[in-house]
Amino acid sequence: MKAIEETSKSDLLHRLSDLEAEVRYQEFAEQPGEEFSYNPGRIPVLLSAPHGTVHTRLDKPKQEDEYTSGFVRLIAELADTHVIFALYRSQTDPNWYPDTPYKQALREVVEREAIRFVLDIHGVAEHRKFGIALGTLHGKSCPKHRKNIVRHLEKFGFSQKADEILRRLDLDRAFTAEGIEGQETITRYIWESLVVPAAQFELHPSLRIVERRPEATEPQPFQGVPELIEVTINAFTSLINELAVSSP
Ligand SMILES: [Zn+2]
């Protein structure tokens, strides 16, 4: 029994690595419109990973949020949701500028598929003192869901009071999704312009990076914690199911 469990666990991480391996951190797309990709699902929830590749903010390249494109693709597969993710290096930053092609695609999917919730997934640097940071514009972007999301993450061992840094949930402190002067975050855009509830999730590298790829911007090798990556995958997969049935 134990052997079977271990096999299925590593299958999850293999699948995550396979999906991430198709993402081109450093290369620009040959055709315009190919820098991000959309896959449909049956559940009216939309996952987003705008920073899965190197992107461009104020004329400067910003490094990829590794494994976030692979992560949302995997969750979408497991939970049968819609997903939009960065596939090639971007000339812009959809979590900064208004009116980007990525945001236009989000709007189209949200309206056409009557999406009930948008989860925007990002990654933070290793020095951050939390496992997951939930950003909801201090509750404004998903007033009816915020408490349930927190309670749900607690069931999977992520809480504001956790002693272990990687189990710590930061709630609207380090990353509120409000952005700074001149920034329009995806969470803000979805809530304020499309009036659909949304939240931003920032993940620590240990919760998402199976193994740093050779093309990654960060040069030194890195491996996340396999058990924690699995817990994170399971937490988000079942969170989708909860969001799908909750009232909008
Ligand atoms: Zn990001």
Side-chain angles (χ1 to χ4, degrees), residues 10 24 31 108 121 128 130 133 136 176-177 187 196 202-203 213 248:
S10 66
R24 299 277 165 258
Q31 306 290 331
E108 271 174 41
I121 309 293
R128 292 288 177 176
F130 56 77
T136 68
T176 62
T187 297
V196 166
E202 298 276 353
L203 305 179
R213 296 167 56 206

Side-chain angles (χ1 to χ4, degrees), residues 50-51 55 57 65 95 121-123 202:
H51 287 167
H55 43 286
R57 184 188 296 176
D65 293 355
N95 199 44
I121 309 293
H122 292 260
E202 298 276 353

Side-chain angles (χ1 to χ4, degrees), residues 104-173:
Q104 288 158 17
L106 286 172
R107 174 190 279 273
E108 271 174 41
V109 174
V110 164
E111 290 176 350
R112 190 183 64 228
E113 305 292 340
I115 296 296
R116 297 163 70 113
F117 201 98
V118 177
L119 298 92
D120 192 41
I121 309 293
H122 292 260
V124 291
E126 211 183 328
H127 66 84
R128 292 288 177 176
K129 298 275 184 282
F130 56 77
I132 299 174
L134 173 61
T136 68
L137 314 178
H138 295 288
K140 271 185 284 171
S141 68
C142 54
K144 293 183 185 155
H145 300 80
R146 188 178 186 243
K147 238 191 228 157
N148 287 346
I149 295 171
V150 170
R151 231 180 272 146
H152 183 88
L153 292 174
E154 281 171 356
K155 276 193 260 167
F156 285 82
F158 297 104
S159 87
Q160 289 175 269
K161 295 186 191 110
D163 292 329
E164 199 189 328
I165 286 173
L166 295 176
R167 289 286 192 172
R168 210 170 286 159
L169 172 65
D170 177 290
L171 182 55
D172 276 307
R173 290 178 64 177

